[in-house]
């Protein structure tokens, strides 16, 4: 059972002081508590823990949110024999996925998904996308009817409070988007809202495929010029693929932090690039699953599984030749082509792209 935070002390006025009637005062306190938003972070890996830390610092500061932030943890037994949840709640630190960083004393780890989301009306999903469907099915009928949810873009290193940016995509309700901006915004983490849900989501997804390609280039020691070319081609395919699937996607979204900025960051440093580099250095003789397990110690890549899903869409719609980079990344990742094939394909994008 996860520990609960102590309730805030309410000081009632002393006799003789001028104030509202006690009943009205207490009612106002109750109403204020009722209307404050309660946040649950669903996921506790590296980025999930960073998100919880960010959010927790803001819920303490902003009166429109409950102080406590619940974080659902996929329970693991550590080498010490302790449960990860227990250690997080005891040390206020995710010792496995974000060691050395305090999350905030108002972050409460909970291994029970239903318990973690109970009474929360703002849900922050921060899990590998391949697990999302299963988690959502488990949540059917378990969440508040007025719940709002956000899916986080991965890849930013802000736990040590280095300056970073993020983009919130919204469809119609700007007010809801601004509430999410308020929840995440700090002096070192700048958040903006963009009216383009599909564009923001696809940027966050497809950049991981391009990062795999960048990692292949690094592993083959082909140099920065080749890597820059791969990133440019990758951005072009990201934009073309997004607009073919969703014509409403805006060109300007690719120049937001979720677009070119996050692409550059992920291609220079993320885990997808890192594992792809190791895969290429080994000539593709070991599977991505093996390299991932050895290097990431339980964390999951996004790029390889996303490349597979993208490849399936391209194949189904007859678009494989239109997206040579995306197609080649998948074929290298599955062992159909050697890593060196990343620079051997010919460009076949139509002029309209």
């Amino acid at each position: 059972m996860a520990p609960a935070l102590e309730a805030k002390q309410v000081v009632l006025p002393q006799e003789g002081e001028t104030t509202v009637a006690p009943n009205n005062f207490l009612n106002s306190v109750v109403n204020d508590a009722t209307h404050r938003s309660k946040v649950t972070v669903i996921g506790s890996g590296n980025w999930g823990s960073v998100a919880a830390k960010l959010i927790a610092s803001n819920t303490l500061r902003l009166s429109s949110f409950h102080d406590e932030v619940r974080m659902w943890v996929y329970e693991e037994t550590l080498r010490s024999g302790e449960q990860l949840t227990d250690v997080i709640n005891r040390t206020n630190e995710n010792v496995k996925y974000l060691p050395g960083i305090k999350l905030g004393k108002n972050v409460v780890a909970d291994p029970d998904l239903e318990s973690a989301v109970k009474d929360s009306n703002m849900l922050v999903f921060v899990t590998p996308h391949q697990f999302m469907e299963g988690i959502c099915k488990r949540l059917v009928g378990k969440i508040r009817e007025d719940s709002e949810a956000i899916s986080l873009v991965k890849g930013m290193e802000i736990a040590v409070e280095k300056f970073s940016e993020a983009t919130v995509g919204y469809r119609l309700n700007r007010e809801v988007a601004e509430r999410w901006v308020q929840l995440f915004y700090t002096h070192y983490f700048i958040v903006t809202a963009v009216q383009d849900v599909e564009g923001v989501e696809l940027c966050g997804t497809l950049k991981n495929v391009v990062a795999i390609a960048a990692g292949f280039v690094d592993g083959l020691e082909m140099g920065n010029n080749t890597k820059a070319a791969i990133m440019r081609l990758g951005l072009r395919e990201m934009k073309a693929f997004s607009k073919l699937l969703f014509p409403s996607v805006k060109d300007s979204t690719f120049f937001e932090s979720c677009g070119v900025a996050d692409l550059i960051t992920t291609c220079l440093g993320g885990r997808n690039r890192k594992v792809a580099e190791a895969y290429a250095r080994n000539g593709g003789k070991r599977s991505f699953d093996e390299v991932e397990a050895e290097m990431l110690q339980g964390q999951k890549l996004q790029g390889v599984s996303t490349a597979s899903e993208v490849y399936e869409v391209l194949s189904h719609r007859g678009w494989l030749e239109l997206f040579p980079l995306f197609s080649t990344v998948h074929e290298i990742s599955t062992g159909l082509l050697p890593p060196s094939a990343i620079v051997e394909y010919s460009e076949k994008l139509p002029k309209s792209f």
Side-chain angles (χ1 to χ4, degrees), residues 40 137 146 249 296 325 341:
T40 293
K137 286 180 177 178
D146 63 342
V249 168
L296 300 186
L325 181 63

Side-chain angles (χ1 to χ4, degrees), residues 25-266:
F25 175 79
L26 291 174
N27 286 339
S28 68
V29 172
V30 171
N31 288 336
D32 177 65
T34 301
H35 288 93
R36 284 186 294 162
S37 294
K38 186 174 181 181
V39 184
T40 293
V41 177
I42 301 174
S44 58
N46 176 269
W47 177 217
S49 299
V50 171
K53 168 185 159 60
L54 264 177
I55 292 168
S57 69
N58 280 337
T59 58
L60 287 176
R61 182 175 59 84
L62 301 170
S63 61
S64 54
F65 298 96
H66 282 277
D67 286 355
E68 181 182 280
V69 175
R70 290 261 160 177
M71 180 173 72
W72 175 64
V73 176
Y74 182 79
E75 192 65 280
E76 300 180 52
T77 302
L78 302 177
R79 292 181 178 179
S80 64
E82 294 180 279
Q83 298 300 297
L84 178 58
T85 300
D86 293 337
V87 175
I88 292 174
N89 287 328
R90 177 169 55 80
T91 66
N92 190 228
E93 181 180 326
N94 190 333
V95 295
K96 181 168 184 180
Y97 297 115
L98 194 65
I101 302 294
K102 296 298 181 183
L103 301 180
K105 293 184 178 179
N106 53 324
V107 174
V108 178
D110 193 332
D112 185 306
L113 181 59
E114 185 175 340
S115 170
V117 302
K118 185 179 180 181
D119 298 328
S120 292
N121 65 319
M122 298 185 77
L123 306 178
V124 182
F125 287 87
V126 205
T127 63
H129 76 279
Q130 58 264 41
F131 303 141
M132 282 287 289
E133 182 178 359
I135 290 172
C136 288
K137 286 180 177 178
R138 291 172 60 188
L139 291 175
V140 173
K142 308 296 184 183
I143 61 176
R144 287 172 47 167
E145 292 184 0
D146 63 342
S147 293
E148 301 167 1
I150 191 168
S151 174
L152 294 191
V153 176
K154 300 182 64 169
M156 292 152 287
E157 298 180 1
I158 57 177
V160 292
E161 303 188 2
K162 294 181 180 178
F163 180 80
S164 301
E165 295 180 313
T167 309
V168 171
Y170 71 97
R171 201 176 306 281
L172 295 174
N173 195 327
R174 177 82 186 192
E175 183 179 343
V176 171
E178 290 297 339
R179 186 155 57 245
W180 286 108
V181 169
Q182 184 183 42
L183 183 63
F184 285 98
Y185 194 101
T186 71
H187 69 278
Y188 61 86
F189 190 53
I190 308 303
V191 186
T192 55
V194 173
Q195 194 173 11
D196 184 2
V197 170
E198 292 81 8
V200 171
E201 187 71 22
L202 284 167
C203 279
T205 299
L206 297 174
K207 58 92 187 279
N208 291 318
V209 180
V210 184
I212 294 288
F216 292 154
V217 170
D218 286 343
L220 296 168
E221 299 183 351
M222 291 181 172
N224 290 333
N225 288 336
T226 302
K227 187 172 180 177
I230 289 293
M231 292 165 64
R232 178 188 69 81
L233 295 169
L235 181 62
R236 185 167 72 175
E237 290 197 10
M238 286 170 58
K239 179 181 173 183
F241 183 78
S242 300
K243 293 178 77 68
L244 276 177
L245 286 181
F246 300 99
S248 63
V249 168
K250 299 176 180 179
D251 289 348
S252 58
T253 300
F254 295 90
F255 295 95
E256 296 286 346
S257 62
C258 64
V260 63
D262 202 18
L263 175 66
I264 293 171
T265 300
T266 309

Side-chain angles (χ1 to χ4, degrees), residues 11-22 25:
V11 180
L12 295 174
Q14 299 297 315
E15 183 178 358
E17 291 184 356
T18 302
T19 184
V20 295
F25 175 79

